[in-house]
Amino acid sequence: MTTPQITALPIEQVRPHPQNVRRELRGVDELAESIKADGLHQPIIVAPDGDDYVVVMGNSRHAACAQLGWDTVPAIVRTDLDTEPKVLSAMLAENCARNDLTITEEGDAFQRLLDLDLSAATVAKRAGRSRKQVADRVTVASQPEKVRQAVDDRQITLANARTLAELADDHELYARVERAM
């Protein structure tokens, strides 16, 4: 791989990936204040998408720079991220390494990779997780929003959510347990 070059891209040509691993960006206001005070310490990572670019790593930094009204954003263009599985894998690896994704954000990301015909073993390896962790998170992420939110808010455990998923075929029992949550 060649040495990455930082380039200033017009901010209007850079957009978040439509399947960003994070459902919502957190701390953008604080990050914008920090960037305003101290500058941007790390460029964003983007992949070409036609005449534009999608953010692979650095969505919060991109949003903060846009909030500050910047015309350009420092970026490293990764032309090697030329397929959707490569882009999603890179986004997932970046976010999983920081351990601040919710369980359902991970599950949604794992499911997208599985939908792109990657094996569970490949997804697990790229994410630094076991196959069981991948399967558990995909199972929980496929649950109704009330259950997903309860897991992410730590109102119920991952194990309890998996057990609840096993009850899904017994609609009456599932509904009673879900109401009890």
Side-chain angles (χ1 to χ4, degrees), residues 117-132:
D117 293 327
L118 278 116
S119 70
T122 300
V123 172
K125 183 177 179 181
R126 288 183 181 180
R129 301 279 191 256
S130 70
R131 279 194 268 179
K132 181 176 180 349

Side-chain angles (χ1 to χ4, degrees), residues 28-39 64 67-68:
V28 174
D29 292 339
E30 294 84 1
L31 182 56
E33 287 301 315
S34 172
I35 291 170
K36 184 177 179 180
D38 299 322
Q67 182 175 311
L68 291 170

Side-chain angles (χ1 to χ4, degrees), residues 25-157:
L25 299 179
R26 301 181 263 293
V28 174
D29 292 339
E30 294 84 1
L31 182 56
E33 287 301 315
S34 172
I35 291 170
K36 184 177 179 180
D38 299 322
L40 183 65
H41 298 291
Q42 185 176 2
I44 64 172
I45 309 294
V46 299
D49 187 36
D51 293 333
D52 294 328
Y53 301 89
V54 292
V55 179
V56 177
M57 299 173 201
N59 277 295
S60 295
R61 284 173 273 152
H62 174 256
C65 291
Q67 182 175 311
L68 291 170
W70 287 18
D71 294 326
T72 62
V73 62
I76 295 173
V77 179
R78 293 276 308 267
T79 57
D80 60 315
L81 299 177
D82 55 357
T83 67
E84 197 64 10
K86 288 179 183 178
V87 169
L88 290 175
S89 293
M91 288 189 323
L92 183 61
E94 162 79 2
N95 285 290
C96 284
R98 292 193 346 235
N99 281 330
D100 62 348
L101 287 179
T102 67
I103 287 173
T104 59
E105 284 174 333
E106 280 190 14
D108 290 338
F110 294 156
Q111 184 60 60
R112 285 194 295 271
L113 289 169
L114 294 169
D115 290 345
L116 292 169
D117 293 327
L118 278 116
S119 70
T122 300
V123 172
K125 183 177 179 181
R126 288 183 181 180
R129 301 279 191 256
S130 70
R131 279 194 268 179
K132 181 176 180 349
Q133 288 173 313
V134 169
D136 288 349
R137 282 157 174 74
V138 167
T139 297
V140 170
S142 69
Q143 296 302 298
E145 187 57 35
K146 186 174 186 178
V147 175
R148 291 167 51 98
Q149 195 62 52
V151 171
D152 287 345
D153 291 345
R154 298 175 188 216
Q155 295 172 339
I156 64 172
T157 65

